[in-house]
Amino acid sequence: MFSIKSSPLPEGAFLQNEITDPEVYADCFYADLPRRVTLQQYIRAYFDAPVFRAERVILKHALSSPSTTEDVHNLAKGTGTSLAAWHMTHRDNEQILLAIPKGPVRTWLMVTKHPSKTGHSRLYFGTALVPPSNPRKSQLKIPPVYRFFIGPHRLYSRLLLSQAIRALRTAPEDRLSLSI
C-alpha cells in the first residue's frame, strides 16, 4: 500500500518560482512508487484518471475548455502544450508546470528517483494560487472564493494523486515501457 504525504516543495521545483509573496497559497504532496516512472507516464496517468476525466467534463461546460484523451496523450508526449483550461509554462524531463491564463491556478507534477530505494520513483503534485496584483494596493490578495476551496482542494489533490499512483502501480510492466 502507498501513502500520500504533504511536504515542502523539493529543491528546483518549478512551482517554487510562483511563490513570490506570502499571500500565495501553495501545497505539495508526494507518494512513492516501487517502480521507475517517467514524467510522460505520470502525466498520462494523472490527467486520464477517472476523477480527472470527470473534472475535464465539468471544465468543458463551465469554462468552455474541452479536452480529450488525445490531448492528455499529446501533453504527456510533449507534442501538446495545453489541456482543458491549462497551458504549459515550463517543462523538463522531470517536471511540468501548467497555468490557467489570466487565472490564479498553477498545477505542477514532478517525478524523481526515490531518494533511497533503487528502482523506485517519487511522484509529486502541487498547486499554487497566485493572487492577481491590485493596482490600488501594494499587496496581493487571493479572492475569498479561492480560500474557501483550499480545504476541499487538499482532499481532492490526494484523491487525484492516489488515482494516478494506482493506475501506474497496476499497469503491466510492458505497458509502462511502451512509448506514449
Side-chain angles (χ1 to χ4, degrees), residues 8-10 12-20 97 108:
L9 288 165
F14 291 155
L15 195 59
Q16 189 67 47
N17 297 333
E18 301 296 317
I19 304 171
T20 58
L97 179 64
W108 165 78

Side-chain angles (χ1 to χ4, degrees), residues 44-72:
R44 185 174 176 184
Y46 183 89
F47 288 112
D48 208 26
V51 73
F52 202 86
R53 284 195 304 263
E55 182 175 343
R56 288 179 12 219
V57 170
I58 292 167
L59 291 172
K60 174 183 177 180
H61 297 291
L63 299 178
S64 298
S65 295
S67 64
T68 65
T69 300
E70 184 177 352
D71 294 332
V72 172

Side-chain angles (χ1 to χ4, degrees), residues 7 10 61 89 99 105 111 115 119 123 165-166:
S7 78
H61 297 291
T89 62
V105 179
V111 176
L123 283 69
I165 294 287
R166 190 170 289 114

Side-chain angles (χ1 to χ4, degrees), residues 52 124 147 179:
F52 202 86
Y124 292 93
R147 288 208 180 276
S179 174

Side-chain angles (χ1 to χ4, degrees), residues 14-27 89 97-107 126-134 139-143 146-147 150:
F14 291 155
L15 195 59
Q16 189 67 47
N17 297 333
E18 301 296 317
I19 304 171
T20 58
D21 184 274
E23 280 292 316
V24 172
Y25 168 81
D27 58 35
T89 62
L97 179 64
L98 303 158
I100 296 179
K102 298 182 183 180
V105 179
R106 307 296 185 267
T107 300
T127 303
L129 295 177
V130 181
S133 59
N134 185 338
Q139 60 188 26
L140 303 171
K141 290 288 183 194
I142 295 175
Y146 286 102
R147 288 208 180 276
I150 288 175

